[in-house]
């Protein structure tokens, strides 16, 4: 794969994966804009692996808590903050896992289309703006409950549609159920750990079941993973500091402009 294209692809994946602007929309649009072929499943897996390492590295303390809490879930009667966090993340993750298994082929075949991406980019961008406005006074001491986690998880299933943005819809839902901006972003990014891991696992199984084997040059895959990891880590670092002092409105403006541009592009092809 051309090195420049590989670098651009990795940077797009790393930067957009955790910002509420939809990485899937940008990765679908990337080959359309440049007129290049799809990068293939092997590179996709490398990109996801890189972003998974990034979010686990940034939230290394929480990642450890999730692992320990997951073990404690198997111990009846055990109560701890780690167990509670693991249970919240599990409850919020199960809906998207089941929805993904049921709807994966339909989404891949019928929803990766320009009008769909344009619509979801615009509509869910405006919804994020409403949630940000409504949640501007949310108290930082609000405690996440299992019911709140489930509602966020149900909203996360919408992220299977290209253009919605997994981080965007989970941040939106978290704001609407009462979490403050920093905690909404934190929980949304924590949910990326199991969902990205599950997507990577499913992709790996699909690749192993294929007849062509690993469809990417190992050096390309390593480069993609490394660049995606670095750019994703920096994006998370910036986002978590940004939301402590500012709103999500810059992302809303970006999505509105992008959505309108995409509608214009789609109209020009009719």
């Amino acid at each position: 794969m051309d090195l420049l294209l590989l670098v651009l692809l990795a940077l797009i994946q790393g930067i957009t994966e955790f910002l509420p602007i939809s990485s899937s929309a940008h990765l679908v649009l990337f080959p359309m804009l440049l007129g290049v072929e799809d990068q293939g499943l092997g590179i996709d897996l490398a990109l996801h692996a890189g972003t998974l390492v990034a979010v686990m590295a940034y939230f290394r303390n929480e990642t450890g808590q999730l692992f320990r809490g997951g073990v404690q879930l198997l111990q009846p009667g055990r109560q701890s903050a780690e167990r509670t966090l693991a249970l919240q993340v599990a409850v919020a993750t199960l809906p998207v896992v089941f929805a993904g298994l049921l709807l994966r082929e339909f989404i891949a075949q019928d929803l990766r289309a320009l009008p769909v991406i344009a619509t979801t980019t615009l509509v869910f961008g405006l919804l994020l703006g409403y949630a940000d406005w409504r949640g501007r006074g949310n108290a930082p001491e609000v405690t996440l409950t299992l019911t709140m986690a489930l509602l966020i998880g149900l909203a996360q299933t919408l992220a299977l549609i290209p253009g919605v943005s997994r981080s965007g819809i989970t941040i939106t839902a978290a704001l609407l159920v009462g979490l403050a901006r920093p905690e909404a972003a934190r929980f949304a990014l924590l949910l990326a750990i199991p969902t990205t891991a599950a997507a990577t696992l499913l992709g790996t199984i699909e690749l192993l079941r294929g007849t062509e084997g690993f469809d990417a040059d190992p050096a390309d895959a390593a480069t993609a993973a490394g660049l995606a990891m670095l750019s994703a880590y920096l994006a998370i670092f910036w986002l978590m500091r940004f939301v402590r002092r500012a709103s999500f409105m810059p992302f809303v403006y970006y999505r509105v402009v992008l959505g309108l541009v995409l509608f214009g592009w789609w109209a020009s092809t009719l």
Side-chain angles (χ1 to χ4, degrees):
M1 188 173 182
D2 182 83
L3 180 59
L4 179 58
L5 292 178
L6 186 66
V7 170
L8 289 174
L9 189 64
L11 292 178
I12 290 171
Q13 170 71 23
I15 293 171
T16 63
E17 177 69 20
F18 300 112
L19 301 183
I21 55 177
S22 179
S23 62
S24 61
H26 287 78
L27 289 175
V28 167
L29 293 172
F30 177 74
M32 292 183 182
L33 285 171
L34 298 183
V36 297
E37 295 183 359
D38 185 85
Q39 61 271 12
L41 183 56
I43 293 296
D44 274 346
L45 287 176
L47 294 171
H48 279 90
T51 55
L52 177 60
V53 171
V55 70
M56 292 178 68
Y58 184 87
F59 292 105
R60 49 194 174 276
N61 293 333
E62 289 88 345
T63 299
Q65 292 172 11
L66 287 174
F67 279 113
R68 292 190 295 271
V71 172
Q72 293 172 13
L73 287 175
L74 304 176
Q75 302 171 353
R78 181 72 179 271
Q79 298 296 327
S80 69
E82 295 170 334
R83 183 182 186 277
T84 299
L85 178 62
L87 184 59
Q88 291 169 343
V89 169
V91 166
T93 300
L94 288 176
V96 74
V97 171
F98 288 128
L101 291 173
L102 291 174
L103 303 173
R104 190 179 184 193
E105 290 188 8
F106 167 72
I107 291 169
Q109 295 174 4
D110 299 303
L111 296 184
R112 293 172 70 88
L114 187 55
V116 173
I117 295 171
T119 302
T120 53
T121 297
L122 181 59
V123 170
F124 286 96
L126 293 173
L127 184 60
L128 173 61
Y130 169 74
D132 186 70
W133 170 80
R134 188 175 178 217
R136 64 194 184 283
N138 290 354
E141 62 270 15
V142 171
T143 302
L144 181 69
T145 66
L146 280 181
T147 300
M148 293 162 68
L150 177 59
L151 291 173
I152 295 170
L154 291 172
Q156 186 177 211
T157 61
L158 295 171
L160 295 169
I161 306 172
V164 171
S165 171
R166 192 208 58 79
S167 62
I169 192 62
T170 49
I171 288 172
T172 297
L175 290 170
L176 291 175
V177 300
L179 295 184
R181 287 166 180 154
E183 183 57 29
R186 172 182 173 273
F187 190 65
L189 295 185
L190 285 180
L191 292 182
I193 296 175
T195 53
T196 306
T200 304
L201 177 61
L202 289 174
T204 301
I205 292 173
E206 182 179 327
L207 194 64
L208 292 175
R209 285 179 176 176
T211 57
E212 297 180 1
F214 191 69
D215 60 350
D217 181 89
D220 286 350
T223 301
L227 289 174
M229 178 182 65
L230 178 60
S231 56
Y233 188 93
L234 293 175
I236 297 169
F237 181 89
W238 175 82
L239 177 66
M240 293 306 297
R241 279 151 181 76
F242 178 79
V243 298
R244 292 193 184 105
R245 64 181 188 276
S247 74
F248 289 102
M249 290 308 297
F251 304 109
V252 176
Y253 301 144
Y254 174 82
R255 291 184 65 141
V256 169
V257 172
L258 179 60
L260 294 175
V261 169
L262 293 176
F263 271 119
W265 183 17
W266 175 51
S268 70
T269 64
L270 297 178

